[in-house]
Amino acid sequence: MCDAADDDSGIGQLLKNNAEWAEAVEAEEPGFFGMLAAQQAPKWLWIGCSDSRVPANEIVGMKPGELFVHRNVANLVQLADLNCLSVVQFAVDVLKVEHIIVVGHYGCSGVRSAARKDRLGLVDHWIRPVRDTLEENAEELNAIPNEADRVDRLCELNVLRQVRNLLHTQIVQDAWVRGQKLDIHAMVYGLKDGRMKPLAPPATAANPRI
């Protein structure tokens, strides 16, 4: 039997890093993992991109257990995506999160590929909604001469579209009808400066639109 710690494929280093991290966390806050195993009570649901440069918990300075996370290519909320909707439903109805943040990021490869109409394979079908957003905002986007700036603006427009999709779900609508506190936020993250920027005031039961 192969000892993972001696595996030269890289998994050994990953397990070593994990062990050091767990020891450091437990030393800093004794009993942390026991407490974490006993309950999960996050107030936030993060819907973001799968990009490895956008680590959700680290960006907002939250510990494990404080942020419920769903990630996919280009941070999409598609109304036919049972994976995403199941996460939202569990977060809202079971965990009773009080905030959902849809977080895009500048320089998103998925958004850039949609803008360039690259042929990538199966993912082309997934990012088709980004291309729809591109076409619907063609006049504004075509007026931006620099491609990087144009893609960054499309990243913002994509986030706003995904938030609107989220607002149309029965999950969010039902939560508001029953008086549950639930605020929906549209954010974009800057890879170059590590800062998150709100794109609009949050949608709430009292002001249910972005």
Side-chain angles (χ1 to χ4, degrees):
M1 180 179 294
C2 177
D3 185 347
D6 297 328
D7 187 353
D8 62 3
S9 68
I11 192 66
Q13 184 61 49
L14 186 148
L15 292 173
K16 180 176 180 291
N17 293 346
N18 167 250
E20 292 174 352
W21 170 78
E23 290 170 4
V25 170
E26 189 68 19
E28 181 179 341
E29 191 172 342
F32 174 78
F33 290 107
M35 177 191 68
L36 191 65
Q39 65 175 348
Q40 176 179 215
K43 298 296 184 184
W44 297 82
L45 167 60
W46 169 293
I47 300 175
C49 183
S50 298
D51 194 300
S52 61
R53 299 168 295 176
V54 190
N57 284 69
E58 291 183 37
I59 287 172
V60 292
M62 288 186 176
K63 297 178 181 179
E66 295 182 327
L67 192 68
F68 201 56
V69 177
H70 175 77
R71 299 172 69 172
N72 60 54
V73 174
N75 46 271
L76 300 186
V77 179
Q78 301 200 49
L79 300 183
D81 178 11
L82 295 182
N83 186 351
C84 180
L85 294 184
S86 295
V87 171
V88 174
Q89 189 271 325
F90 188 83
V92 173
D93 294 350
V94 179
L95 298 178
K96 306 296 183 184
V97 299
E98 297 180 358
H99 302 270
I100 301 177
I101 48 176
V102 178
V103 185
H105 66 94
Y106 294 127
C108 178
S109 299
V111 173
R112 183 186 300 112
S113 295
R116 291 177 174 176
K117 300 182 180 179
D118 293 338
R119 297 292 299 274
L120 301 175
L122 183 61
V123 74
D124 295 341
H125 300 282
W126 177 257
I127 61 176
R128 176 66 234 189
V130 184
R131 291 177 180 161
D132 293 339
T133 300
L134 171 69
E135 293 167 5
E136 290 165 6
N137 295 275
E139 183 175 355
E140 175 188 352
L141 293 168
N142 289 338
I144 302 173
N146 181 274
E147 183 195 32
D149 293 339
R150 190 161 57 247
V151 169
D152 283 350
R153 179 54 181 159
L154 182 55
C155 289
E156 295 177 344
L157 293 170
N158 179 53
V159 170
L160 292 169
R161 166 55 68 86
Q162 305 319 310
V163 169
R164 294 186 188 111
N165 288 347
L166 185 60
L167 296 178
H168 290 151
T169 64
Q170 204 63 48
I171 303 163
V172 171
Q173 293 296 319
D174 286 349
W176 283 340
V177 167
R178 62 177 176 259
Q180 183 173 337
K181 173 177 170 50
L182 184 63
D183 298 345
I184 315 294
H185 308 263
M187 300 274 186
V188 66
Y189 172 74
L191 294 174
K192 294 180 179 179
D193 61 10
R195 299 298 183 92
M196 288 175 59
K197 181 178 78 173
L199 296 176
T204 65
N207 182 29
R209 62 179 59 191
I210 283 184

